[in-house]
Structure formats: C-alpha cells, structure tokens
Amino acid sequence: MDENVIAFEKNQPIETDIVIVGAGPVGLFAVFEAGLLGLNCHLIDNLDKVGGQCAELYPEKPIYDIPALPYCTGQGLVDELMKQADPFKPAFHLNQQADSLSKLEDGRWRLETSTGTVFHAPVIVIAAGAGSFVPRRPPLENIEEYEGSSILYAVRKMEALRDKKIVIAGGGDSALDWTLNLHPLASQVTLVHRRDQFRAAPDSVDKMRQLVANDEVDLQIGQIKELKGEGGQLEAIQIKSSDGELYEVPCDVLLPFFGLKMELGPIAEWGLNLDRDLITVDTEKFETSVPGIFAIGDINYYPGKLKLILSGFHEAALMAQQAFRYCRPDEKLVFRYTTSSTDLQKKLGVI
Amino acid sequence: MSYIVVVDREGQEHRLDALNGWRVMEIIRDHELPIKGECGGCCSCATCHVYVDEAWRDRIPKREDEEDEMLDEAFSVEDNSRLSCQILFSEDLEGLRVYLAPEGA
C-alpha cells in the first residue's frame, strides 16, 4: 500500500452524532446520557488515558461528594464511569488535542485533531475541565529559542538522540524511564534533580543508582538555572547545587520532565464567548454562544456555577436533550426512566 | 481582621484579609492574585508554590513528605519553598509573609 492510500484513510472523516472533547468524568458520563437517547459518541483526549484530572492528578486521592458513593478514589470513579458508559461503545481518540473546527456545507461540524483525525458530527461537546494537559515548561530565559530543536518534552524518535549529550531533568517516572532507555545510545546522560530522592518506581530508581555507581549515568543534585547555546542549539546548562554552587554541564539535548499543566489550547480560537478561560453557557441546555456546541463540567461558566463533578453530571443530562434535537431533528424525544423503560434497558444491554 | 502579606512576581506587596482555617492558597486565590492551584488544594499539582519569608520559616509546620515530593514538579525550589495549599491559616500566622514563586513558561 503506498503512502497516499494510508494518508487518505487516516483523513477519512469519522461520522458520529457527538464529538466530546475531553475524556474526564463529565465527558464519560455524557456518553451515558447521550447513549440513553440513542446518540453515539467519540471522545478526544490529549492524555494517553481516560479520566482527566481524576486519573492524572489524583488517582489515589479520596472523593466523598459523589451522590450515593460515600467514598471512592479518583481512579475508582473513572473505572465505574467507564463501566457505565460501556454499553454505548464510546470510541476514544487519545494522545491528541482537538485542534481546528469548521462548519460543513450540510450544517454539521468538521473537527480535526492534532494528529489528523477528522470527525463530522452535528454536535460538539466540550468537556475539557481546566484544559488539555500539556508539559510544564521551565521558566528559563530564552527557552523558546531551543524548544523543538534542543529541548524536547517527549521523545518521538530515539534514534535522533544517538551519540548526543543528553540532560534529563526531573525525579519522576518519565525522567527515570528515559534515563534508563537513552543511556545505551547517548554519548552521555546527565540526570538533574533537586533532591537525592526519587518518586519513580523503586525498580527504576535501583537501576538508575546502579548506572550512576558504574559511571554510566551522571547524577547531579541541583536545579537548572540557565541555558547556554546559540541559534537554537544548546551547548551547556548551568546547574545550581543545593548549597548554591553554580556549575555547567555540557548538553546537546535537554529533556525536562516536570509533569503537566492545563491550558485551554486551540479551543480558545473557536470563536466561543469566554469569561476568562471559561466558556459561557446557558443553564437550560449548557450550549455555548454557538448553536450545536456545548460546554459541560469545569470548563463552563454560568451564574452560580460550582466546579463539582456532580454539577457536570447534571449538565451532561440536560445537554443530551438538546443534542438529540440536533442529531435527530425529525424524531420526537420521549422522556423515560431506566427503571421502567424496556427500550432504555435494551440500550443498556440488561434485557 | 487577620491578614497575610503576599508579594507578587513583580515585587508588589498585597495585604490580604485572612480567615482562620483557610489554606493560604485559597486566601491568595480569593483575592484574585495570580496563583493557579490547579488541583484544588489536595497536594496533587505544584501550581501554588510560594516562598515563605525567612522570619516565618520556623513558625509554620514543616513540609510533609507528600508536599516535598510534589515540589519536584515546581521550578526554582528553595529551602523556604512551600505549596501554599498545605499551609492552613490560623491566628498564629497573623502577618505571615510569602512570595509567589515563578510559574512555568
């Protein structure tokens, strides 16, 4: 198969009822509410997993304010929501960010992601929480000059790092995993961390310590203060040790791993009415200033808004009612309960 | 009214009314100074990083391990670095002085 055919297939639009931007708890529950009305959903998330903040920030932390769930963990909640959404077969498109949005001639939306996945759908639901998770960038002078060439936040091609002097900054799993993966092919790997303790998997820490003991990896306890280089090419980084001493380490490529932050990203350019970084919606349908685009959960704003998962669930249910009208304009919507409706129970796969 | 003093990243001082039992992060956020507190105060991000004035360092409870670990994701961490969601305001901290730490680029 030649490359053109693959490119063509990749850009074949996916036709669906609703595209949900964000696979956090509210996006997942929206799958359920839409599913009860017979609407199909595709979800996009920039993380490599579902669950949003619940899975990324506090998977092990307790949550006590979900109705009828006196206690659950962040990940526990996500797992249960996945179970609840499962009968409606949601499709997940992870590791990509919702990028551009435009209107098709037939009135539906065309949404394209950062990796080129294209959707055609009558309804877009933004359930993006506090925004997409993106790598946290160190506040170092002139850092943007080096980003993409000498400073990478993710390793796409290991081979490109062969025989380079690599500095890895951070003390978590990403920093440790890449230290272990890259040291065989790099000419030198220096791991820089602010303290001599690592919160990565103990096995990775042991392996790293062994490499340091054998002089195969250089471990520096300190923090990066300054970048040195020219024309986008790093030559060295300046490190400040814990006792305040400044020194330089040669460096071709710097990989900073300081976790993730959240930012609204391309959605900010979609022409929706915003209130600071929040999308304003009505409280009847949770629709934005643009018909057919909804915003639910932490990302929206209306008078009285409370940023609770609970509120997002309610918003998802009301959104689905209006979404049905866009997706099935010729059908009449009848309101039913899961307790008594055989139709809904069939959709849920319980009868 | 009790108060704390917060010095922003431009060096400007702000005297903020403070209530007992509020986290310092919440006090700063309530006064709309630029602090993120992305995780809402459960010590799961590092976006409420502050430096505690030297005069106050030994007067507030020390960092727990969890806070120290989370500071791994912050920048320019110093001995007086704290996550302000982990400092609970009480009258003992009347006049506490903190500096907002730099955020990521």
Side-chain angles (χ1 to χ4, degrees), chain A residues 61 137 194-195 199 223, chain B residues 42 66 68 72-73 77 105:
Chain A
K61 294 265 160 105
R137 304 164 59 219
R194 58 172 270 260
R195 55 191 188 127
R199 61 202 174 92
Q223 297 177 79
Chain B
C42 66
E66 188 184 32
D68 205 21
D72 284 354
E73 293 194 358
V77 178

Side-chain angles (χ1 to χ4, degrees), chain A residues 287-333:
Chain A
E287 198 164 16
T288 68
S289 54
V290 178
I293 303 181
F294 298 79
I296 57 177
D298 282 0
I299 194 86
N300 74 14
Y301 179 76
Y302 51 84
K305 169 73 182 183
L306 273 185
K307 286 191 185 184
L308 289 178
I309 292 171
L310 165 73
S311 314
F313 289 168
H314 161 77
E315 293 158 17
L318 270 64
M319 170 282 293
Q321 298 287 311
Q322 180 66 14
F324 180 89
R325 294 182 174 91
Y326 286 116
C327 297
R328 307 278 185 272
D330 302 328
E331 292 177 33
K332 198 167 159 55
L333 182 58

Side-chain angles (χ1 to χ4, degrees), chain B residues 61-80:
Chain B
K62 299 236 173 311
R63 292 178 200 156
E64 304 270 345
D65 286 351
E66 188 184 32
E67 182 182 347
D68 205 21
E69 281 184 8
M70 214 57 239
L71 277 166
D72 284 354
E73 293 194 358
F75 302 107
S76 305
V77 178
E78 302 290 344
D79 291 343
N80 59 343

Side-chain angles (χ1 to χ4, degrees), chain A residues 187-293:
Chain A
S187 76
Q188 186 187 341
V189 171
T190 306
L191 177 62
V192 183
H193 184 44
R194 58 172 270 260
R195 55 191 188 127
D196 200 13
Q197 281 164 297
F198 295 82
R199 61 202 174 92
D203 179 55
S204 310
V205 178
D206 291 346
K207 284 183 179 147
M208 178 273 292
R209 297 269 187 214
Q210 193 58 49
L211 291 170
V212 172
N214 296 345
D215 282 334
E216 291 179 76
V217 164
D218 178 27
L219 173 62
Q220 296 290 340
I221 305 302
Q223 297 177 79
I224 300 176
K225 287 313 255 189
E226 225 181 289
L227 305 168
K228 310 241 169 179
E230 260 177 47
Q233 179 53 58
L234 274 180
E235 283 157 24
I237 53 155
Q238 188 191 59
I239 297 176
K240 185 182 169 196
S241 72
S242 48
D243 47 21
E245 187 201 344
L246 293 170
Y247 57 97
E248 285 186 18
V249 168
C251 172
D252 301 319
V253 177
L254 170 64
L255 308 174
F257 294 113
F258 292 97
L260 303 171
K261 64 167 181 169
M262 293 175 274
E263 62 176 36
L264 194 50
I267 292 171
E269 315 300 319
W270 286 3
L272 308 171
N273 284 353
L274 299 178
D275 183 320
R276 297 183 202 180
D277 266 354
L278 301 171
I279 300 169
T280 53
V281 292
D282 67 71
T283 50
E284 181 191 344
K285 309 179 296 279
F286 300 94
E287 198 164 16
T288 68
S289 54
V290 178
I293 303 181

Side-chain angles (χ1 to χ4, degrees), chain B residues 33-68:
Chain B
L33 290 182
I35 196 157
K36 286 208 173 106
E38 276 178 354
C39 77
C42 66
C43 199
S44 294
C45 70
T47 58
C48 65
H49 178 198
V50 298
Y51 302 117
V52 173
D53 192 86
E54 290 300 326
W56 283 91
R57 256 180 73 185
D58 298 327
R59 297 170 62 182
I60 58 174
K62 299 236 173 311
R63 292 178 200 156
E64 304 270 345
D65 286 351
E66 188 184 32
E67 182 182 347
D68 205 21

